[in-house]
Structure formats: C-alpha cells, structure tokens
Amino acid sequence: MSGPTREDRLERLLGSPGPELTCEECFEQLDRYVELELADAQADEHVPGMRAHLRGCPACAEDHEALHALLAATDAPAAERPEG
Amino acid sequence: MVVGTQSRYGRESASGPGPAVAVAPPHLDGEARRWVQRLRAGADGHEEAVRELHALLLKAARFEVGRQHARRPQFSPAERDDLAQQSADDALVAVLAKLDGFRGASRFETWAYKFALLEAGVAVRRHAWRGREVQLDPEAWGEVAARLQGPDDDAQMRELIAAVQHAIGAELSPRQREVLVAITLEDVPIDVLAERLETTRGALYKSLHDARAKLRGALALQGFEVGAR
C-alpha cells in the first residue's frame, strides 16, 4: 500500500476553507447522511459541512466509509427522508 | 466506556432508557417506534429486543473488524472476535443510553449501526497501536519542510513549503504544533492520540481545525492560494 503523496500531506496540513461540521455533529448526522448518499438524494445539500469534515478528519472518514460499506453490503433500503 | 458530555458520541441525549413506560416519540415511523418502545426498561419484550439489538450491533462490529483486517491483516481470529464482541457490548450500552436522542432521521438500524462501527473502528486503531510509543516531539515541526520537499519541486512549491514551515513556527502554539505534526505527518490516529492525551476526538480535532485555519490565514496574507486543490 503506497503512502500519501506530498499533495495529500499538504492538504492534511492545511485542511480546506469553508464551514465544516465538528466531530460531534458529524456523528449525529452520519446515519442520515449515508442513507441520503445511498438514495442519491443530494446528501451534501441536506447536510452542509459534512463533506468538508470528512476530508479533514481521518477518523470520521473511516466511520463514514464503514457505514456506507455496511449498508451497501447488507443492501439496506435507503431512506426516503430528505429532511431529518 | 464514558457516556455523556465527554463521550465520543457528541451531544445527543444521554438521559438513559427512561422510566418503565413503553412510550416512543410520536414522530417515529412504525418500525423505529417498535424498536424504541421495546427497548425501554420494563417494556414488554424488552429483553428480547435487547438481544436483537446486540445481534445487530455484533454484525456491524464484525463487519468493521473484518474490513479493517482485510485491509491490513493484523489480528488472530480470536482477537477479531474479542474486538467485535467488546465493541458490540460497548455500543449496546451507548445505544440504550442515547435512545432518547434517536429522532428518526434514518432507519433505527442505521442509527444503531453507527455506534458499533465507531466502537469497532476505535478499538481496531487502538489495538494496532498498542505498545507503540506516540512521540510528541515539540521540535518535530522544524522538519516539516524537509518532509514535504521533493527533488522536482519548482520555485513556487519551494516557496509554499517554506512559508508553511514558517507559519507553523510563527502562528501555532506548541500544543497545536504537536497535534498537527502527530496527526497529519506521523499518521497517529486521532483516537489513539486522544487516548494518550486523555482527551476526546472532538477536542483534538478542534485544535487541529484551528491550527489549519491559522496556517491558511497566514499563507493567504502572503498571497498563496490555499485550499483550492
């Protein structure tokens, strides 16, 4: 497995501008966000700041990847709840 | 496991499973409502519901431990089973404590899964770093430029790297430098670092977030375009 590139390192160091959720807010919204993703229901519009946080926080990104993979693997029906 | 304001779960209600009354918020749909009602202490079918919930959580924990192991084999079968069981047990306690925080924004199963996946992910990362020293070298930031430089860098990249190095020294507190270097250059998992520093993922990430904002601000003042990649 190759390591991160220099560009990856710079992005990790500097993060990205703009608003982003905290880790606590990310956890609160994660289930809704992933169901919206799997329903192709504009998750980023419904949960602003989530994508930026997932780019900046490796641990929350792991949680997101895990929930997305689990729901996809279990073929769970995605929610039809555009608003939480 | 700590459940409350200092927990890894954020601000969702931690008021516990409540009184022995089988009530559920009226806005929940049928399936979610049945879960919440049955999981209330003293409700009909409570013990069976707890067993079903634990099975659900164990499935998620096994999934995550297995996923991480497939990515980087590091555990014996017995260790994988222990990690999954412990994660499911911890997640069960958390889900029951946070039941009042479930608002029905997703399916109940999805909401519950995230607790088990978080517990399993943290457990795997901490297990992988067990016995490894996490060095917080207050002078390590001085090597940032050397770590970022490449043989084919053009003048613009060299200037950016030098400016990043300078900004880390000029703009950040010693603690912010240590956290920044450990997480972004040394690849110490934030949960591992939080455990060693006796703090939380959220508190550490805030420190990292504030440090990054200071660096971007300093670079922008010097005319660098950052964050546009």
Side-chain angles (χ1 to χ4, degrees):
Chain A
M1 186 164 43
S2 62
T5 65
R6 190 256 306 285
E7 284 67 29
D8 293 336
R9 292 284 184 204
L10 271 173
E11 185 167 352
R12 285 191 199 179
L13 270 170
L14 300 176
S16 54
E20 71 170 86
L21 300 183
T22 65
C23 292
E24 292 80 7
E25 291 164 341
C26 172
F27 187 75
E28 287 173 21
Q29 297 283 343
L30 189 61
D31 46 324
R32 175 176 173 237
Y33 182 80
V34 172
E35 286 196 351
L36 289 167
E37 279 186 312
L38 290 170
D40 200 15
Q42 299 167 320
D44 291 314
E45 288 184 21
H46 290 292
V47 191
M50 176 66 95
R51 183 58 52 188
H53 182 72
L54 296 177
R55 276 200 300 270
C57 181
C60 289
E62 285 276 354
D63 295 341
H64 166 258
E65 188 181 314
L67 186 56
H68 196 285
L70 176 61
L71 293 191
T74 54
D75 198 25
E80 297 176 359
R81 300 178 179 86
E83 299 299 332
Chain B
M1 183 189 64
V2 179
V3 176
T5 54
Q6 291 300 309
S7 83
R8 59 186 71 134
Y9 300 116
R11 296 191 305 271
E12 288 172 304
S13 168
S15 59
V21 179
V23 294
H27 57 274
L28 296 182
D29 67 20
E31 184 62 22
R33 213 175 151 73
R34 275 191 292 280
W35 269 111
V36 172
Q37 283 176 330
R38 293 164 63 224
L39 286 170
R40 299 271 183 212
D44 286 344
H46 171 75
E47 290 185 9
E48 183 186 358
V50 170
R51 279 196 298 274
E52 289 174 15
L53 175 60
H54 189 269
L56 204 67
L57 298 172
L58 185 57
K59 179 178 81 170
R62 282 184 169 141
F63 177 87
E64 179 58 3
V65 172
R67 198 177 70 96
Q68 295 288 347
H69 182 74
R71 184 182 290 174
R72 190 173 57 180
Q74 53 191 314
F75 305 119
S76 69
E79 285 175 328
R80 292 204 297 275
D81 194 54
D82 282 349
L83 284 169
Q85 290 283 352
Q86 186 61 50
S87 299
D89 293 349
D90 289 345
L92 179 66
V93 173
V95 167
L96 292 176
K98 298 276 187 178
L99 205 53
D100 287 340
F102 177 60
R103 298 281 178 259
S106 70
R107 294 187 313 137
F108 179 83
E109 290 88 339
T110 307
W111 179 77
Y113 281 152
K114 71 178 178 178
F115 289 84
L117 295 172
L118 181 142
E119 291 289 350
V122 171
V124 166
R125 288 189 286 275
R126 288 182 175 171
H127 192 280
W129 275 73
R130 200 176 47 175
R132 289 175 66 179
E133 188 178 356
V134 175
Q135 291 188 329
L136 289 177
D137 181 355
E139 303 303 323
W141 67 272
E143 300 169 11
V144 167
R147 299 277 298 272
L148 293 175
Q149 286 164 349
D152 301 324
D153 290 346
D154 58 21
Q156 191 178 11
M157 180 56 76
R158 285 197 297 274
E159 283 179 21
L160 173 61
I161 291 173
V164 169
Q165 170 87 63
H166 181 265
I168 291 172
E171 303 292 335
L172 305 187
S173 69
R175 175 63 171 250
Q176 284 177 320
R177 286 184 209 130
E178 289 176 352
V179 170
L180 181 78
V181 169
I183 294 173
T184 67
L185 290 181
E186 303 294 344
D187 297 329
V188 180
I190 196 167
D191 301 307
V192 173
L193 191 59
E195 182 184 39
R196 306 288 171 95
L197 297 178
E198 298 183 336
T199 182
T200 63
R201 177 194 295 191
L204 270 189
Y205 189 77
K206 182 174 189 317
S207 180
L208 176 64
H209 180 267
D210 292 347
R212 285 167 163 169
K214 283 185 181 179
L215 293 182
R216 289 197 306 271
L219 294 172
L221 282 175
Q222 297 174 60
F224 290 101
E225 289 186 22
V226 292
R229 279 180 297 275

